[in-house]
Amino acid sequence: LVLLGRKKDMIIRGNFNIYPPLYEPIICSIPGIWDAALVGRYNEEKSDEELILVVESDGKMKAGDIMVRLRSGPHSIDREALPDQIIFMPLPRCGRHQKIDKKLLVQKLLQMP
């Protein structure tokens, strides 16, 4: 049995399964955020996945403002799905529908310090 496609979007953090497509629309509904992607990056020191939220915004948003909204209120998400890091950058896109290219995004994040 070979799993392809959406399986790769799931991030296992501790004993919690995180499905980014469940959280990304909530994050994108925050005023000032144009688009967002949640990705995982393995952290050797923690022996677990780190969650990275990559955001395209109007430039007025700050990481702290986003975290406050994600912790409580209409844009809140599960505590286990809160990002460890928020990065503001253009999201790479591919295909006719200009979907976010998460594979390329992860490659770019791995090159960052």
Side-chain angles (χ1 to χ4, degrees):
L1 177 66
V2 177
L3 297 175
L4 301 171
R6 293 176 55 131
K7 173 251 177 202
K8 293 192 182 243
D9 279 348
M10 184 180 73
I11 301 163
I12 301 172
R13 186 180 199 185
N15 59 357
F16 192 79
N17 294 344
I18 299 168
Y19 297 93
L22 294 177
Y23 301 105
E24 290 164 345
I26 296 168
I27 297 166
C28 289
S29 71
I30 296 173
I33 293 181
W34 298 334
D35 212 347
L38 262 177
V39 294
R41 178 171 61 184
Y42 189 74
N43 183 322
E44 293 284 339
E45 293 173 12
K46 293 181 182 178
S47 297
D48 202 0
E49 291 282 330
E50 284 186 330
L51 270 179
I52 300 172
L53 173 60
V54 182
V55 176
E56 281 183 339
S57 72
D58 60 8
K60 298 175 186 172
M61 298 293 297
K62 295 182 180 175
D65 299 332
I66 294 172
M67 285 302 289
V68 167
R69 290 177 179 256
L70 295 180
R71 285 193 173 107
S72 64
H75 303 106
S76 64
I77 61 174
D78 294 321
R79 183 174 45 90
E80 292 85 357
L82 289 171
D84 296 302
Q85 185 178 6
I86 299 175
I87 297 173
F88 295 89
M89 65 183 268
L91 292 163
R93 302 186 182 276
C94 67
R96 183 174 60 189
H97 298 290
Q98 291 297 292
K99 291 185 179 183
I100 296 169
D101 187 340
K102 286 198 175 178
K103 200 179 236 184
L104 181 57
L105 179 58
V106 169
Q107 288 175 357
K108 285 184 175 192
L109 292 174
L110 289 174
Q111 294 172 358
M112 294 175 77

